[in-house]
Amino acid sequence: MKPIVLYRSKYGSTKAYAQWIAEALSCEAMDAKGASADILKDYDTIIYGGGLYAEIIAGASLITKNIDKLQDKKLIVFTTGLTPTDCREYYDGMVIEKNFKNGTKDKIKVFNFPGKMIISELSLVHKTAIKTLKGIMSKKENPTEMEKMLINLCDIDADLSDRSLIKELIDYARAQC
Ligand SMILES: Cc1cc2nc3c(=O)[nH]c(=O)nc-3n(C[C@H](O)[C@H](O)[C@H](O)COP(=O)(O)O)c2cc1C
């Protein structure tokens, strides 16, 4: 197995998971900012990690847009986010639906990890987005369970990243060779 771990990370949680995974697999972890598909050709196992922003996995189009060039590779994507990872309706429904169109979901194994949100570290744009989202959701008269969950997520001010959670991904990656 010749793996590489690529990631996009604004606040550091995805980068931390990428580095833990790379360490466990004795391979390189690389920031995918500005990367093209050419970088992927020397590896047989591509592990891509991206933070979730409005359900979109940051930078994952590097994989999904180049899926035809990656037919002979093992493809693993991991997300970091604040939605509890047991909320499968969210991950298996909304996240998969938005990020893996045109059959790409059948070619990629996806893992979900808890990320972090430290309010004082957020950019002004992100701070405003979270505040606005909370304001809109809180005004709903009969919020759905999903909307209630979103309101609660807006108040998280913590780092939920946990190295022990990479085990399943590592076992899966190792089993691919
Ligand atoms: C503006 C904004 C939007 C976000 N949207 C989502 C989301 O849709 N789903 C989710 O689970 N987490 C969401 N999060 C939480 C981030 O995914 C979480 O902070 C993650 O750790 C970010 O990855 P990074 O630390 O590598 O940048 C959002 C955070 C911000 C600031």
Side-chain angles (χ1 to χ4, degrees):
M1 174 172 64
K2 195 175 176 206
I4 184 165
V5 185
L6 291 147
Y7 64 89
R8 291 298 309 277
S9 181
K10 185 161 173 62
Y11 297 108
S13 177
T14 314
K15 181 177 179 180
Y17 281 106
Q19 288 176 334
W20 293 330
I21 292 164
E23 212 175 288
L25 295 174
S26 304
C27 70
E28 198 181 346
M30 197 188 285
D31 189 341
K33 191 171 185 187
S36 76
D38 284 349
I39 210 165
L40 308 174
K41 65 180 186 313
D42 296 333
Y43 303 92
D44 60 20
T45 304
I46 317 287
I47 303 169
Y48 182 88
L52 283 170
Y53 291 92
E55 286 96 48
I56 299 295
I57 308 167
S61 58
L62 177 67
I63 306 298
T64 52
K65 284 206 174 134
N66 293 300
I67 203 88
D68 292 342
K69 294 182 197 160
L70 302 173
Q71 295 290 351
D72 57 335
K73 318 273 187 199
K74 311 283 185 214
L75 302 175
I76 299 171
V77 167
F78 70 88
T79 67
T80 59
L82 292 179
T83 308
T85 52
D86 61 359
C87 188
R88 299 319 307 171
E89 184 192 348
Y90 176 79
Y91 287 102
D92 299 338
M94 294 165 79
V95 173
I96 294 286
E97 185 78 17
K98 276 201 180 178
N99 293 274
F100 303 112
K101 298 194 163 95
N102 305 322
T104 50
K105 72 171 180 192
D106 302 328
K107 298 177 176 124
I108 303 169
K109 175 75 177 169
V110 182
F111 293 84
N112 309 111
F113 299 133
K116 74 165 182 172
M117 185 161 77
I118 308 294
I119 301 291
S120 63
E121 291 177 359
L122 292 184
S123 68
L124 183 59
V125 171
H126 280 171
K127 227 180 252 178
T128 310
I130 295 291
K131 213 173 157 185
T132 308
L133 178 68
K134 190 179 173 193
I136 293 169
M137 292 296 162
S138 305
K139 279 194 192 112
K140 299 224 170 196
E141 271 187 24
N142 294 305
T144 62
E145 288 307 310
M146 189 72 90
E147 286 164 345
K148 282 186 207 160
M149 185 187 73
L150 266 175
I151 296 168
N152 290 332
L153 296 186
C154 292
D155 287 330
I156 292 182
D157 190 10
D159 187 351
L160 308 175
S161 312
D162 179 350
R163 185 178 190 144
S164 70
L165 299 174
I166 65 170
K167 190 182 177 308
E168 203 188 331
L169 186 155
I170 300 300
D171 290 347
Y172 177 84
R174 287 197 179 124
Q176 297 309 301
C177 48

